[in-house]
Amino acid sequence: MLILQCPCCGVMADETELAAGGEAHLKRFGPGSSDDDFESYLFNRVNPKGVHFERWRHAYGCGKWFHAARCTATLEVFGTYSAQVTEPPQEIRDKISARRPGWRWREFG
Amino acid sequence: MSTRLTGFGRLIDRSKPLRFTFDGKWMRGHPGDTLASALLANDQMLVGRSFKYHRPRGIVASGAEEPNALVNLGKGGRFEPNQRATTTELFEGLRAESQNRWPSLDFDIGSVNTYLARFLPAGFYYKMFIHPRPFWKHVYEPFIRQSAGLGRAPKDRDGDTYEHFHTHADVLVIGGGVAGLQAAKAAADTGARVFVLEQTAHWGGRAPVDARDEDRIAGQGAADWVAATVAELEAMPNVTLRLRCMGAGVYDHGYVLAYERLRDHAPDATGPRHRLWRIRAKQIISATGAIERPLSFAGNDIPGVMLASAVRDYVVNYAVSPGDRTVIATNNDDAYLTAIVLKKAGLDVPRIVDARAQGGGALMEAAKALGIRVDTGRAIAKVKGGKRVTKVQICAQAGEGGVLDEIACDAVAMSGGWSPVVHLWSHCGGKLFWDDAQAMFRPDAAHPPTGADGQGFVTCAGAASGALDMAHVLEDAHAAGLAAGKAAGGKAKRTKAPETTARADAPIEPVWLMPQGAKVELRTKTWLDFQNDVKVSDVQLAAQEGFESVEHAKRYTTLGMATDQGKLSNINGLAILSDALGQPIPQTGTTTFRPPYTPISMGAIGGEARGVVFQPIRRTPIHGWHEAHGADWEPVGQWRRPYAFPRKGESVHDAVMREVKNTREALGLLDASTLGKLIVKGPDAGKFLDMLYTNMMSTLPVGKCRYGLMCTENGFLTDDGVVARIDEDTFLCHTTTGGADRIHAHMEEWLQTEWWDWKVYVANVTEQFAQVAVVGPNARKVLEKLGGMDVRAEALPFMAWADGRIGDFDARVYRISFSGELSYEIAVRASQGLAFWEALMEAGAEFGAMPYGTEALHIMRAEKGFIMIGDETDGTVIPQDLGLDWAISKKKADYIGKRGQERAHMTDPGRWKLVGLETVDGSVLPDGAYAVGEGLNANGQRVTIGRVTSTYFSPTLGRGIAMGLVKHGPDRMGEVIDFPGTDGKTYRAKIVDPVFHDKEGAKQNV
Amino acid sequence: MKRYSAFAIAREALRHHSGWDRAWASPEPKKKYDAIIIGAGGHGLATAYYLGKNHGIRNVAILEKGWLGGGNTGRNTTIIRSNYLQDPSAAIYEKSRSLYEDLSQDLNYNVMFSPRGVMMLAQTQHEIRGYKRTAHANALQGVATEFIGPEKVKELCPIINIDGPRYPVLGALWQPRGGTARHDAVAWGYARACSDMGMHVIQKCEVTGIRRDGGKVVGVDTTRGAIDCDKLGIVVAGHSGVLADMAGFRLPVESLCLQALVSEPIKPCMDVVVMANTVHGYMSQSDKGEMVIGGGTDGFNNYTQRGSFHHIEETVRALIETFPMISRLKMLRQWGGIVDMTGDRSPILSKTPVEGIFLNCGWGTGGFKAIPGSGWGFAELMATGHSALCAEFSLDRFRAGRFIDESVAAGVAH
Amino acid sequence: MSDPVSALNRAAFTGIAQIAETGLQGMITLRGDLASAVVIKAATAAAGTDMPARGEAKIKGEHGLCWMSPDEVLVLCPHAEVAMTIAAMEQVLAGEHALVVNVSDARAVFRVSGPLAREVLSKLAPVDLAPQAFRPGMMRRTKLAQVPAAFWMEDDRTFRIVCFRSVAQYVFDLLKVSAQEGSEVGVF
């Protein structure tokens, strides 16, 4: 039963107040994009066993979307941050590097 | 026999008698008794039958670990199977009934299984009942099902209520024994918010029973210290104490389920029966104590063989003697306490059989001093008896079971050592290590379950962490409490654990089998799991057959899968398995611990959500009127919409036909309040809607309406509705009933996560308005009669909207039609919705006003060939399939779904497309029927070329009409295709234009 | 290998069952196999079994990082049905169901397939239409189902509350030959049969890497050394993404936690399997007498096999409404399993970008019922490069937008 | 002119706490840049209270401002004054990118009062309602059992709860169950 702090309203939100939104930092591909790009945008997922970046909506609260960095193997939460960014902010990256030495970073977007 | 003693009985109130029945027989007990202690007091040792062999079963334990004493309790709406007698507090009039026996507990047909035992070893059913095939379902399985199962199935609806409760704690202490209380005290002193939960009705745990005479805590006797500490905690504002409240499960991020039994001991009191606590704790201390292990010797399942600690509990707590002559068997010092207690109670202890060559420490001397004979290096070869122990045979522990001596007795008290209750520690991933010296699995403090911050959030304290004597328990608990308090943000205080007396006990000597070299004849009579009938020989067979993983062995033998979840059997079974595999116990490892610690009621899990509050029902402002006028309801999401308004003696179908005809010929009123209404406002609103809808919305003139389609990014049609432009930068978007919240969320998602720089605000005003569709040739007449705004075609043409007044009401009127008739959809404030509806009904009476429901709505839209989201669409249909290309802008570079619709499969000319369908004989096509083509596909299935999406009897046309998706449909007008029905008939239908009625649209545009 | 039968049991009984051999051998890995299957769950073992039985490929190893059958095979609610809407699903699930009918005899291992019948309740007009559509489709697919009315529902399952105030039962889609089987036995039976064919079931052997030569697979690295192979089948429900990552490609898959629970055992009171999708819950009674209840799936990626409790609450309160009698039963045990969900919630049985690597995953919440059919088709695909049963479940369908969406009829995925 | 009616027409119940639907309350959703002076002026002028900070509710009788989200406040005023108030707000906001919309009739309002009010709500909401954690002046949007709701405290023993009008009956029934006799918890 996760508990995440909504960065928009500051509430420590119970999982039952939240709606999960899947993998974060996906780049949208529209008309004119290649089949490869469009397929991976819509379907292909990192689905890592470990550090994961995901979208949440504070559905039963302020209604805002936000991002969370979370370990899917331990459920440790490295932090939550704004939905209006295309990749994790530095302080989140630093926290992860500190907690998961040797974590292999990928390209975003 | 077992009887009530004159001395002891610290928990019972002898001054008050209570009456209860067991298998219909009246018995007596006292307040403070458990059902188990009361049964023993009435010499009822035989309480049930085992699962597989239907062997006689007696009470073994005194608490949550009891595997045998399960009863059917209560009657009617209060009936409950599998109630554990040892944790059921006695109350006046309690009705208990033994389980898993027929016709009676004493004479049970099923007990023939016990004579077939050697033919029914572990996993026998995997090896037999294979031939002939049909016999499994029809012969073998029914027999097995009948003899399996335990309690009776309840029949009546539950007569009680339940509730949940949310709370937050800095430190949650689970277990109200000495360790829990001391830990709570230490934590509370740091200023932390502390909760203490105790599953029984009493504080103190085992201490009041197990404390030795010389034991002192801070100078007091154990019981006094407990009372004093509880009083102290109760006085602290930051501490909450709960009895009869069990820590059931520990979940991620400090979430704990606690199960409070409020009325089980007082069923007639008002209020909820159980309360399920959902606790968020920063730190959790599991002070859950330890459970004594049985010893594995032949006949250890015969009624009268009990845990030594349980025997102590019954004497000291309830003044009940399990037997007159009790033989003690042990491999550690604790069982000597039992011997001493029994002796003090004036009962006979003919022998203490201690497997250890050297025997015990100070307690052994004390026992000897009381004149009890102690045989060391000895074991029980076999217990004799049927429904009750009659004698035990003694042998050398080192040998194979050669009988040296025989002792008549009616009870055996056994102690194989202690197993810390590590369930709560393990639920969320806490690791264990094997402690050879104490022969137990203990929590590995270096690998605790970790929380949201990646740090440990559970600590075990006292016996639960493996500290067995009082001094260690108190120090361990004190340290745990302090650490937890600090970790939860409390202020560290320099406090110390109370002083207590040290002990001189001899070490335990692991004994996993008695005697060590027991021959197969003995091992097949030596039980590990009393309820599921798993014996030493079964686990050894599993190992022999390659079920080497502990999980395999458990599943193959069902060891530990009974209702006690192996609280008594797991470690012993593990040891036997390890021995059979010739590997150390830690290498074998344990099975996974799963919540709950002991079973919790489904009622409590469901909480308040039953009856009227099972799920929300959403009501429009006019809901009550519909109810009063006999609406036949249809659930649509959480709403209920009138399906039709049948009159007295009228069938629902006839009502629907009437409603359609009346609307087409006179005047129909529809409560359209559930339709979604979303305000979209801002300089970029038009641009935003152009991305959301397939068609162009930014060009919609102010004052006009336009029908629009929304797709998912996959290209599939997801919602539709009419958009009205309110002013230059404000639009009002109508969605389907089911779409309101979904589309609102959809809009917010794109605005917040993709186009966050666009200047657009959205608000869901669905419930601000009651919306009524006034439909039919007389629609304008009724509005003009009510008076107010100009509703003539010139002033308010088709697909326009206007604000104004209708009669007494401020209204917004939309000239839109989903029926093909002259139609006004009128929105008024919800607080006036009912009044407005009633005004329309009254004024409309002379024009034949009648309400109509969703089915009439569906038929009328189908007659006009309008699609319905959820009928013509199913999540795999794109607008192009439905001939809606006119509503897809060719000019726009992009809209949500456009790219998806460009994929190979979406542009495939072979896609099924929307057409109208007319049966050649005028009958109604079956719902969901498929049209068949030639031959079979690669998997031997009939080839299909289309399907029915909506089908109705049209009262307007007097025949069946349908819409469907058909391969190349639009190019095959006039063709007749076949729809095989599930009724054996084949329905033939002609492909026609989907618009069946008023093709020119003359009627709606007047 | 000793055949199992009542006579064998009787014979062994006389000597205290000392004569039974291991159900499956525990060999050391060889240097090379013709084919390696990663994952000794039901699907992996069934694949190996049919590789040997149908295609004569017996030089096969099945590698399991834990203990065989320890994943979702041993964690599901054992429901077997084939009343699916879409042709490709109906084909493979019906193939599977029909194989279950004879599986005990085929494997000489009692997997306790019990065709007690499966019903899916219709509790809204929408569901009625959806299930009628499915019934029509099934009739053309050769799947025996029928849409029955509320009275028949009550007759088949007396403990159902058919006129529940909130969602009265309006009918049901009924598949008389659907049912349940003993999940562990399915894995054990296949493992025993594979071992008997000389295949190597190697437990406690985790794959740590996949070795390629250019675009082709040549073997795997494991915790028990490197092993070569010509063909590699990845059959690791829940962990497919992790293995695909080793092989160097991404999947349209997310790993989520699905939960289930059982009540304490009671005497027989329910002889059919009931699924109530409007309220999200399904229930059957095991031979032991436990009510076996399937819960919901968490919305977030999770590899812990620990789910969120509110899903259990939702399922239980829904079932109390449908079966009021369970309110006074007790939950004995709850657990979770990691399922992999694809973009259309249907499985993937496919070749991959790497030559020689085949992928069997994405069974979501519906894998157990598919074990024999999946093994049958996947073995054919691995052996011959084509299988009609698998064709539509290829990995490239997402790119083309050619979904196999089972949720369309009445919102029932699996 | 027919009088506007609230969802439950002031239904009431007394158990371990007092439950009452309080009738129609004027409510206006204001979305905009809450840091903008114009938006602040429009809001504070309409409600006659200060601008609430994140998570706050500034209440003065029937007037008040509730912080709903980073770009939304809920303006409270008497039901009869809504039209007038909106007009005034729109005047102030002219030219500003903001949304003002009347949601008074889309909502139902309840009062739960008495010494055990905190317990009644704690049975339904996954929120820490201990006195040290939730006090008058605070605003919380969450869920009550299965529906969204928001609440604040008028005083230390009185909650104001706002939910959607369509589920008013459900919420009222829920509160009745939670306040049933004999269900005291005794933690606060």
Side-chain angles (χ1 to χ4, degrees), chain B residues 131-149:
Chain B
H131 297 280
R133 192 183 97 183
F135 273 46
W136 173 252
K137 171 73 176 84
H138 298 292
V139 182
Y140 308 132
E141 189 184 39
F143 173 77
I144 288 177
R145 283 171 85 86
Q146 269 311 328
S147 55

Side-chain angles (χ1 to χ4, degrees), chain B residues 51 77-83 100 118-119 121 124-131 133 136-137 141 145-151 153-154 157-158 160 162 164 251-252 257 273 278 427-428 520 524 532 541 544-549 551-552 555-556 561 563 565 594-596 599-603 605-606 609-611 614-617 634 638 640 714 716 870-871 874 876 903 905-906 926-930 932 938-939 941-942 944 947 980-982, chain C residues 4-6 9-10 13-14 16-24 67-68 74-75 85 87 90-91 101-102 104-105 108-110 112-116 123 125-126 129 132-133 135-137 140-141 161 165-167 177 182-185 188 203 261 263-271 279 285-288 293 305-307 309 313 316-318 320-321 324-336 388-389 398-403 405 408:
Chain B
F51 195 88
R78 291 258 168 90
F79 170 82
E80 181 161 17
N82 302 327
Q83 277 292 61
N100 205 37
R118 73 165 30 194
F119 299 97
F124 73 96
Y125 32 72
Y126 300 117
K127 296 181 178 138
M128 53 203 289
F129 308 133
I130 295 174
H131 297 280
R133 192 183 97 183
W136 173 252
K137 171 73 176 84
E141 189 184 39
R145 283 171 85 86
Q146 269 311 328
S147 55
L150 286 172
R157 185 174 282 273
D158 194 335
D160 286 305
Y162 304 81
H164 292 160
Y251 299 81
D252 289 288
L257 277 189
R273 176 183 175 225
R278 301 140 136 184
H427 282 168
C428 232
V520 67
T524 54
N532 270 5
L541 176 61
Q544 169 191 335
E545 294 190 82
F547 294 87
E548 296 167 342
S549 142
E551 282 289 348
H552 279 157
R555 288 154 179 261
Y556 191 62
M561 297 180 82
T563 61
Q565 292 287 284
R594 298 285 185 189
I600 63 177
S601 69
M602 299 283 184
I605 294 168
R610 54 178 59 218
F614 162 58
Q615 268 183 18
I617 293 180
E634 168 181 20
Q638 288 180 326
R640 276 185 178 179
N714 254 312
F716 300 128
D871 288 350
D874 66 1
T876 65
R903 285 174 298 177
H905 183 63
M906 304 297 187
D927 236 320
Y930 278 77
V932 289
N939 289 312
Q941 302 166 317
R942 282 294 296 277
T944 54
R947 64 181 178 89
T982 47
Chain C
Y4 290 161
S5 70
I9 293 229
L14 304 177
H16 294 291
H17 303 278
S18 56
W20 296 113
D21 2 307
R22 301 178 58 98
W24 48 80
W67 40 283
L68 70 88
R75 295 168 185 278
L85 175 72
D87 286 351
E101 294 259 7
D102 304 301
S104 297
Q105 294 73 29
N108 176 235
Y109 202 91
N110 186 1
M112 304 179 205
F113 172 63
S114 174
R116 51 188 59 258
Q123 295 177 285
Q125 295 295 330
H126 182 65
R129 285 195 297 274
K132 284 186 173 170
R133 178 180 166 188
H136 279 99
L140 302 171
Q141 294 155 340
N161 171 25
R166 191 69 173 85
Y167 296 110
R177 296 300 291 180
R182 175 87 181 91
H183 55 14
D184 293 325
W188 298 344
Q203 303 183 77
L261 64 130
S263 75
E264 294 182 323
I266 51 171
K267 290 296 176 188
C269 63
M270 182 185 191
D271 194 45
V279 292
Q285 186 172 22
S286 73
D287 288 344
K288 271 193 81 182
I293 294 172
Q305 295 187 334
R306 297 190 302 265
F309 192 74
E313 286 175 4
V316 166
R317 71 182 179 226
I320 289 174
E321 192 71 7
M325 53 87 66
I326 72 165
S327 179
R328 288 187 91 89
L329 299 184
K330 299 188 220 70
M331 174 173 79
L332 176 60
R333 185 170 70 255
Q334 68 165 104
W335 65 93
L389 278 179
F398 299 98
R399 156 181 304 236
R402 202 185 68 250
F403 292 174
D405 189 340
V408 303

Side-chain angles (χ1 to χ4, degrees), chain C residues 87-98:
Chain C
D87 286 351
S89 315
I92 196 164
Y93 284 105
E94 175 59 15
K95 174 67 181 176
S96 198
R97 198 205 57 77
S98 62

Side-chain angles (χ1 to χ4, degrees), chain B residues 496-769:
Chain B
K496 296 211 345 287
E499 296 294 332
T500 178
T501 33
R503 287 180 188 171
D505 288 359
I508 183 176
E509 207 170 278
V511 170
W512 306 118
L513 187 57
M514 243 186 190
Q516 193 180 337
K519 291 204 274 345
V520 67
E521 293 75 13
L522 293 178
R523 298 197 309 265
T524 54
K525 300 262 180 305
T526 303
W527 261 255
L528 290 167
D529 188 316
F530 299 122
Q531 186 184 126
N532 270 5
D533 285 318
V534 181
K535 300 164 296 178
V536 167
S537 54
D538 294 311
V539 172
Q540 290 169 329
L541 176 61
Q544 169 191 335
E545 294 190 82
F547 294 87
E548 296 167 342
S549 142
V550 57
E551 282 289 348
H552 279 157
K554 162 188 152 192
R555 288 154 179 261
Y556 191 62
T557 61
T558 73
L559 176 93
M561 297 180 82
T563 61
D564 61 312
Q565 292 287 284
K567 291 188 178 65
L568 295 188
S569 60
N570 277 350
I571 300 299
N572 287 348
L574 203 54
I576 296 293
L577 179 64
S578 304
D579 174 67
L581 298 172
Q583 66 189 26
I585 288 174
Q587 194 178 323
T588 307
T590 61
T591 55
T592 318
F593 293 84
R594 298 285 185 189
Y597 173 60
T598 69
I600 63 177
S601 69
M602 299 283 184
I605 294 168
E608 84 294 332
R610 54 178 59 218
V612 290
V613 291
F614 162 58
Q615 268 183 18
I617 293 180
R618 298 177 69 181
R619 295 170 164 82
T620 74
I622 312 170
H623 185 98
W625 190 96
H626 303 324
E627 213 153 27
H629 291 73
D632 185 69
W633 296 108
E634 168 181 20
V636 184
Q638 288 180 326
W639 297 99
R640 276 185 178 179
R641 302 190 68 185
Y643 179 85
F645 294 84
R647 295 170 168 175
K648 281 224 172 353
E650 186 181 43
S651 75
V652 171
H653 174 79
D654 293 346
V656 171
M657 296 299 116
R658 170 179 50 79
E659 291 169 10
V660 172
K661 272 176 116 322
N662 183 75
T663 305
R664 290 238 183 265
E665 289 162 11
L667 179 58
L669 298 182
L670 175 81
D671 179 359
S673 307
T674 59
L675 289 187
K677 306 164 202 73
L678 306 174
I679 300 270
V680 179
K681 179 172 189 267
D684 297 320
K687 174 169 140 196
F688 176 59
L689 294 186
D690 283 345
M691 285 302 291
L692 232 60
Y693 288 89
T694 60
N695 36 0
M696 194 74 87
M697 287 299 171
S698 51
T699 58
L700 177 62
V702 173
K704 293 289 182 207
C705 302
R706 183 172 291 164
Y707 172 74
L709 305 171
M710 274 191 222
C711 297
T712 63
E713 195 68 314
N714 254 312
F716 300 128
L717 188 51
T718 182
D719 207 67
D720 69 347
V722 169
V723 177
R725 188 159 200 166
I726 307 303
D727 59 41
E728 201 36 53
D729 63 1
T730 310
F731 295 78
L732 185 138
C733 304
H734 286 104
T735 73
T736 59
T737 294
D741 297 335
R742 184 168 47 88
I743 299 303
H744 179 219
H746 176 68
M747 289 179 171
E748 282 292 344
E749 177 176 359
W750 284 97
L751 285 172
Q752 291 179 40
T753 68
E754 189 65 29
W755 302 309
W756 58 76
D757 50 339
W758 294 13
K759 286 186 154 48
V760 181
Y761 287 122
V762 178
N764 185 347
V765 293
T766 302
E767 296 193 21
Q768 171 68 17
F769 301 100

Side-chain angles (χ1 to χ4, degrees), chain C residues 197-266:
Chain C
M197 281 191 281
M199 296 180 175
H200 285 183
V201 184
I202 304 168
Q203 303 183 77
K204 295 194 190 138
C205 177
E206 181 168 6
V207 170
T208 55
I210 293 175
R211 287 184 289 112
R212 289 178 298 174
D213 178 0
K216 188 184 182 319
V217 68
V218 294
V220 295
D221 298 317
T222 78
T223 48
R224 294 171 67 170
I227 312 175
D228 296 344
C229 67
D230 299 331
K231 289 178 176 175
L232 181 66
I234 299 176
V235 197
V236 291
H239 285 66
S240 308
V242 178
L243 270 293
D245 189 48
M246 290 181 196
F249 51 91
R250 273 190 198 179
L251 291 178
V253 164
E254 305 247 31
S255 296
L256 308 175
C257 184
L258 171 71
Q259 300 184 83
L261 64 130
V262 292
S263 75
E264 294 182 323
I266 51 171

Side-chain angles (χ1 to χ4, degrees), chain B residues 189-248:
Chain B
D189 284 337
T190 69
R193 219 166 123 198
V194 178
F195 271 75
V196 192
L197 311 180
E198 165 55 39
Q199 64 180 348
T200 71
H202 310 281
W203 298 107
R206 295 209 56 80
V209 173
D210 287 1
R212 327 257 170 108
D213 300 348
E214 69 276 15
D215 282 350
R216 284 287 171 278
I217 308 176
Q220 309 168 77
D224 300 338
W225 181 85
V226 167
T229 309
V230 168
E232 224 178 320
L233 290 169
E234 273 167 345
M236 299 177 81
N238 57 327
V239 178
T240 306
L241 297 145
R242 309 297 292 189
L243 287 171
R244 299 188 177 98
C245 191
M246 174 187 76

